[in-house]
């Protein structure tokens, strides 16, 4: 008899998701359950699928790929992966085949099961197929073609497989996702797939490979799901309850406080570490203005901060038009002018000088409570960019690193689907439809004037790339979008990913806007060149190629 050990997370997930949890617990001890029992009991089979959800969502939740771009300035001493220094000995996520094996095992065993209700069985198979598609897509964006593993390999089979082409890989991904749409329900418990989640995923994967008709068709299906853009935009990110209730979110990852701590969430590495001196001696000096409000103390482990570069992307409402002004335009001006009439998402995403954060006023100027010279322990605990994050931070539930917190992160949402559709229309040359779909998030979330229907194609692309950057800021999109745009436009390089000096705000206490180079701790050294097309993909780890001589290395590595 083959025994399957059911991890503890299955028990947790069953309690959260399954109305039959009591029946499962009454079946027999779950530390050792036979494979026959698992695939002949719907609750145990669901438990296996829920465990697979957890494994795959670990690839999608809190990924922080914006740290590879000019959206952020890494903190002093940051532990972030330095993508500019990647070597062929690095892994960067190549081997995700244990997750794929679990999907394959579920598909194979459930397909042969005669004891589970057909509708339940088909739904579980569909979930496994979408989980397999999401895992392969996660790998394909990083490596291009991957090995096709579509069944549980037995001990006497060849484990050393060759890679599919990138096109074949995406065909397999999209086939899985399309098949999943057939048997997934239109509605489901939070954290389980619906057919609209599968369609939303298709818009993302098909866009990355350039299947624009598929993007549009899948987006059309999502629009039949009854979703709507959330207002205010921050509802999806500011606390657990509003995220769970959002009419915009198509699929989210969520974890209750019984299995989630502050340290497990994005908040841990996006929160300052500073407090009044009387609370924690050796931090904020009494001379800093203002002191934090009573009860406000900040105990994160900051790894990065929003850059002036991303701040410059938030457009300004000016006499019925949306215009862009950069740090050069504000240099030497009263800083308060720089924050007026911005895109509505700016204040909902980024904390700027003299803005309220929890019950305190944050001041990023010299002599303020969040300037790097006002931290007695050195610059690590406070912003090195002159800004802090508001998006993803639950200000009304602030806790410490090891305390429980309910947390939810959107994985697929309508705003991205609209932008995916806009980009697909733009690539197909349907300018009016491209502008229409871009304007949804621009006007409803951003509160900006719509881009005129008479705009030129180049005006659309300039506006679209700004819109996508701010709408999906810190949602792990920008790096992949820059890669996708360069390939679609037959570019000879990606200047946004070359060595650069990020800008940081460094004002005197008089509040006159002044910036300095802030890239000293950046992920890309100033002289770094994004070697094109070599760096469109990561290298296949050298250890994998030595183990499997059927694997080929990506060009240039």
């Amino acid at each position: 008899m083959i025994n399957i050990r059911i991890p503890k997370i299955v028990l947790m997930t069953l309690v959260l998701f399954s109305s039959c949890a009591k029946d499962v617990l009454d079946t027999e001890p779950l530390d050792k359950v036979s494979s026959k029992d698992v695939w002949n009991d719907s609750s145990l089979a669901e438990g296996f699928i829920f465990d697979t959800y957890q494994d795959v969502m670990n690839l999608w939740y809190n990924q922080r790929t914006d740290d590879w771009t000019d959206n952020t300035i890494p903190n002093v001493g940051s532990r972030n992966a330095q993508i500019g220094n990647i070597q062929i000995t690095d892994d960067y996520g190549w081997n995700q085949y244990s997750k794929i094996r679990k999907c394959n095992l579920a598909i194979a065993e459930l397909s042969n099961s005669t004891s589970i209700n057909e509708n339940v069985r088909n739904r579980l198979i569909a979930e496994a197929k979408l989980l397999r598609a999401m895992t392969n897509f996660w790998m394909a964006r990083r490596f291009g073609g991957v090995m096709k593993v579509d069944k549980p390999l037995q001990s006497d089979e060849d484990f050393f497989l060759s890679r599919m082409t990138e096109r074949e890989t995406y065909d397999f991904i999209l086939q899985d996702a399309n098949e999943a749409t057939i048997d997934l329900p239109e509605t489901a418990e939070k954290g389980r797939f619906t057919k609209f989640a599968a369609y939303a995923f298709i818009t993302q994967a098909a866009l990355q490979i350039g299947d624009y008709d598929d993007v549009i068709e899948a987006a059309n299906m999502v629009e039949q799901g009854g979703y709507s853009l959330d207002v205010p935009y921050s509802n999806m990110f500011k606390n657990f309850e509003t995220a769970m209730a959002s009419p915009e979110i198509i699929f989210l990852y969520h974890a209750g406080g019984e299995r989630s701590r502050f340290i497990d969430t994005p908040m841990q590495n996006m929160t300052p570490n500073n407090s009044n001196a009387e609370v924690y001696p050796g931090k904020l000096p009494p001379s800093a203005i203002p002191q934090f409000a009573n009860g406000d103390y900040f105990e994160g482990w900051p790894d990065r901060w929003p850059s002036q570069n991303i701040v410059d992307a938030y457009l300004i409402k000016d006499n019925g038009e949306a215009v862009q002004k950069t740090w050069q335009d504000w240099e030497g001006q009263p800083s308060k002018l720089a924050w007026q009439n911005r895109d509505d998402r700016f204040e909902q995403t980024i904390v700027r000088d003299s803005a309220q954060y929890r019950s305190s006023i944050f001041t990023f100027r010299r002599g303020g409570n969040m300037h790097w010279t006002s931290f007695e322990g050195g610059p690590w605990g406070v912003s090195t960019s002159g800004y802090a994050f508001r998006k993803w931070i639950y200000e009304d539930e602030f806790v410490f690193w090891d305390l429980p917190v309910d947390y939810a992160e959107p994985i697929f949402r309508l705003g991205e689907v609209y932008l995916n559709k806009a980009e697909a229309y733009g690539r197909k040359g349907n300018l009016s439809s491209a502008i229409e779909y871009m304007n949804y998030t621009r006007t409803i979330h951003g509160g900006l004037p719509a881009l005129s229907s008479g705009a030129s194609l180049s005006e659309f692309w300039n506006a679209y790339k700004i819109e996508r950057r701010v709408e999906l800021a810190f949602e792990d999109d920008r790096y992949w979008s820059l890669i996708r745009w360069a390939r679609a436009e037959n570019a000879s390089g990606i200047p946004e990913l070359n060595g650069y000096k990020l800008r940081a705000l460094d004002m005197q206490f008089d509040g006159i806007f002044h910036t300095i180079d802030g890239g000293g701790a950046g992920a890309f050294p100033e002289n770094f060149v994004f070697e094109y097309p070599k760096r469109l993909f990561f290298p296949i780890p050298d250890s994998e190629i030595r183990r499997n001589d059927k694997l080929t290395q990506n060009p240039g590595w």
Side-chain angles (χ1 to χ4, degrees), residues 326-526:
T326 65
W327 61 270
Q328 294 98 327
D329 297 303
W330 302 115
E331 200 76 18
Q333 301 295 313
S335 61
K336 64 181 181 180
L337 300 178
W339 322 130
Q340 296 175 0
N341 301 317
R342 287 270 183 170
D343 181 317
D344 292 349
R345 291 164 292 194
F346 172 64
E347 298 279 5
Q348 298 174 58
T349 303
I350 292 173
V351 185
R352 45 82 178 172
D353 180 71
S354 299
Q356 183 168 332
Y357 184 89
R358 286 186 51 78
S359 299
S360 298
I361 299 298
F362 271 17
T363 47
F364 295 93
R365 60 190 70 188
R366 288 182 177 266
N369 55 33
M370 275 291 153
H371 193 274
W372 55 84
T373 58
S374 297
F375 184 72
E376 291 186 353
W380 171 80
V382 294
S383 176
T384 54
S385 75
Y387 301 94
F389 294 98
R390 194 182 303 276
K391 187 173 181 178
W392 300 119
I393 304 296
Y394 289 3
E395 293 179 59
D396 59 347
E397 290 185 43
F398 207 77
V399 293
F400 288 126
W401 70 276
D402 61 342
L403 294 183
V405 60
D406 298 338
Y407 204 81
E409 180 174 322
I411 304 298
F412 304 127
R413 62 182 182 89
L414 185 63
E416 182 183 359
V417 172
Y418 280 155
L419 290 174
N420 293 344
K421 192 174 186 180
E423 185 170 334
Y425 274 131
R427 295 297 179 205
K428 286 176 63 66
N430 186 336
L431 184 56
S432 61
S433 294
I435 292 173
E436 174 190 355
Y437 277 90
M438 183 200 69
N439 274 336
Y440 287 140
T441 55
R442 177 178 162 121
T443 59
I444 296 173
H445 281 164
L448 295 168
L451 181 68
S452 169
S453 59
S456 68
L457 187 61
S458 62
E459 288 171 330
F460 162 74
W461 281 117
N462 180 65
Y464 171 79
K465 290 179 179 180
I466 292 172
E467 174 59 27
R468 189 173 186 107
R469 185 177 189 181
V470 300
E471 173 69 18
L472 300 176
F474 316 122
E475 293 185 54
D476 302 313
D477 179 80
R478 181 161 174 77
Y479 182 82
W480 309 115
S481 287
L482 290 170
I483 296 287
R484 181 177 67 253
W485 296 337
R487 299 183 75 189
E489 295 163 10
N490 296 313
S492 58
I494 306 178
E496 297 92 337
L497 297 180
N498 282 338
Y500 47 68
K501 285 188 175 180
L502 297 171
R503 303 302 301 180
L505 191 63
D506 186 23
M507 302 184 295
Q508 298 296 322
F509 202 78
D510 59 11
I512 298 300
F513 197 97
H514 175 63
T515 63
I516 59 171
D517 293 338
F524 298 89
E526 185 181 351

Side-chain angles (χ1 to χ4, degrees), residues 24-237:
V24 176
L25 296 176
D26 288 344
T27 302
E28 60 179 287
L30 287 181
D31 62 333
K32 200 177 258 190
V33 180
S34 73
S35 58
K36 179 181 178 181
D37 289 335
V38 170
W39 306 117
N40 287 290
D41 184 289
S42 61
S43 294
L44 289 175
E46 279 186 338
F48 187 92
I49 293 295
F50 296 155
D51 191 43
T52 308
Y53 265 104
Q54 182 68 33
D55 283 354
V56 174
M57 287 307 113
N58 284 338
L59 298 177
W60 287 73
Y61 165 71
N62 191 19
Q63 288 299 292
R64 298 165 50 182
T65 61
D66 272 41
D67 294 359
W68 302 342
T69 76
D70 53 353
N71 276 359
T72 67
I73 291 182
N75 199 27
V76 173
S78 171
R79 299 181 298 277
N80 292 2
Q82 302 295 291
I83 192 173
N85 300 324
I86 187 173
Q87 305 292 326
I88 61 173
T89 54
D90 298 325
D91 180 83
Y92 267 81
W94 166 258
N95 192 358
Q96 302 301 327
Y97 290 100
S98 63
K99 299 175 179 65
I100 291 173
R101 174 173 171 77
K102 290 180 71 173
C103 297
N104 289 339
L105 183 63
I107 293 167
E109 294 289 352
L110 287 165
S111 296
N112 294 324
S113 174
T114 59
S115 302
I116 298 176
N117 174 275
E118 182 179 8
N119 291 333
V120 172
R121 181 161 43 88
N122 288 342
R123 178 185 182 180
L124 296 177
I125 291 171
E127 288 176 299
K129 286 186 176 181
L130 186 52
L131 289 166
R132 183 170 69 182
M134 291 174 68
T135 305
N136 278 314
F137 177 57
W138 189 93
M139 294 176 64
R141 284 200 294 193
R142 286 160 172 76
F143 302 104
V146 301
M147 298 186 297
K148 183 177 183 178
V149 185
D150 59 355
K151 62 179 182 178
L153 296 176
Q154 305 303 316
S155 59
D156 58 348
E157 292 186 82
D158 185 2
F159 283 76
F160 300 115
L161 306 174
S162 59
R163 297 168 63 191
M164 295 182 283
T165 65
E166 184 186 19
R167 179 69 262 179
E168 290 169 338
T169 298
Y170 274 88
D171 286 344
F172 183 42
I173 291 166
L174 293 170
Q175 176 184 321
D176 264 351
N178 277 295
E179 289 178 359
T181 65
I182 298 170
D183 291 310
L184 287 172
E186 292 192 357
T187 60
E189 308 94 313
K190 294 290 185 182
R192 291 190 73 174
F193 294 141
T194 64
K195 61 175 69 270
F196 302 113
Y199 284 123
F201 168 75
I202 290 169
T203 71
Q204 191 177 110
L207 185 66
Q208 200 69 22
I209 196 61
D211 291 350
Y212 303 124
D213 288 334
D214 289 348
V215 175
I216 294 167
E217 182 179 348
N220 289 340
M221 297 303 297
V222 171
E223 290 179 71
Q224 297 178 27
Y227 303 97
S228 60
L229 294 180
D230 206 345
V231 181
Y233 166 83
S234 59
N235 279 344
M236 295 178 283
F237 314 105

Side-chain angles (χ1 to χ4, degrees), residues 255-274:
E258 70 278 359
R259 61 190 180 99
S260 175
R261 299 175 302 160
F262 187 78
I263 194 175
D264 300 320
T265 74
M267 293 190 288
Q268 179 68 53
N269 297 112
M270 301 174 88
T271 300
N273 188 297
N274 203 9

